[in-house]
Amino acid sequence: MESNTYKILTNLIESVDLLTKMIFAQSVVISLLVIFVLFLLVSNYRMRKAQVSALLREDFIQHAQLLEDKGDFEELLELAYKRSLEFNHDIHVMWFRAVALYRLGRFGESLNTFGNIKKLDAVWNMYEVDNYIEQIKESMSGPKSTPT
């Protein structure tokens, strides 16, 4: 009888041990699934946020270009300022700010902003940036005299 009880208890202990291992394995699998789902949610959120940001950037660029084309440089400067509050290092914001300042005759600020563009990305729109910088330097130093 003791032998039977011993076998039953041994089997019971093995069953409990096996059940514990199975529960642990299921917990690991469920944890991995939860982590994977969270990763997917975060990735999806970031992708959507990037898409929205790109759309907002395109809207900004189109609106800013329209204001520049209309010659409404005060409004362009205001638009660039508002956009810079959220996207301070956006090169497009800096570009339209620099152009507006230049067109408004605020050459010192414009030169500083064009310089910041070159620091941020030396090759972005390089020829136009350099052209504006040269024009600003010429207008700030006065016309060059030619020998007669």
Side-chain angles (χ1 to χ4, degrees):
M1 182 89 165
E2 281 184 32
S3 167
N4 237 357
T5 307
Y6 179 76
K7 286 181 183 178
I8 291 173
L9 285 175
T10 304
N11 285 340
L12 184 61
I13 291 172
E14 288 174 358
S15 296
V16 168
D17 188 43
L18 183 62
L19 186 60
T20 304
K21 289 178 182 177
M22 288 175 56
I23 290 172
F24 178 76
Q26 287 176 344
S27 299
V28 169
V29 168
I30 289 171
S31 298
L32 290 174
L33 285 173
V34 167
I35 290 170
F36 180 71
V37 168
L38 287 174
F39 172 76
L40 288 177
L41 289 173
V42 168
S43 296
N44 190 30
Y45 170 76
R46 286 186 175 177
M47 184 173 39
R48 296 282 184 206
K49 187 176 178 182
Q51 288 172 343
V52 168
S53 182
L55 289 173
L56 290 174
R57 174 185 272 179
E58 287 303 314
D59 285 347
F60 165 77
I61 292 171
Q62 288 176 359
H63 189 196
Q65 190 63 57
L66 178 68
L67 292 173
E68 182 183 4
D69 293 344
K70 287 176 23 181
D72 194 352
F73 301 112
E74 288 287 344
E75 183 70 24
L76 177 58
L77 187 58
E78 180 68 23
L79 178 69
Y81 171 74
K82 287 177 183 175
R83 175 88 175 162
S84 73
L85 294 176
E86 190 174 350
F87 303 99
N88 190 31
H89 295 304
D90 184 331
I91 203 157
H92 294 97
V93 171
M94 295 170 77
W95 168 259
F96 284 110
R97 180 179 190 277
V99 168
L101 289 167
Y102 175 81
R103 297 293 180 199
L104 292 170
R106 294 165 59 179
F107 299 126
E109 293 172 87
S110 180
L111 182 61
N112 185 40
T113 306
F114 280 120
N116 288 338
I117 291 171
K118 287 185 72 88
K119 287 178 191 172
L120 187 62
D121 187 346
V123 295
W124 186 87
N125 217 0
M126 179 175 66
Y127 299 111
E128 285 194 62
V129 171
D130 288 342
N131 187 36
Y132 271 109
I133 289 173
E134 280 302 311
Q135 289 178 23
I136 292 168
K137 286 180 179 178
E138 285 177 14
S139 63
M140 290 176 81
S141 66
K144 294 180 181 176
S145 60
T146 55
T148 55

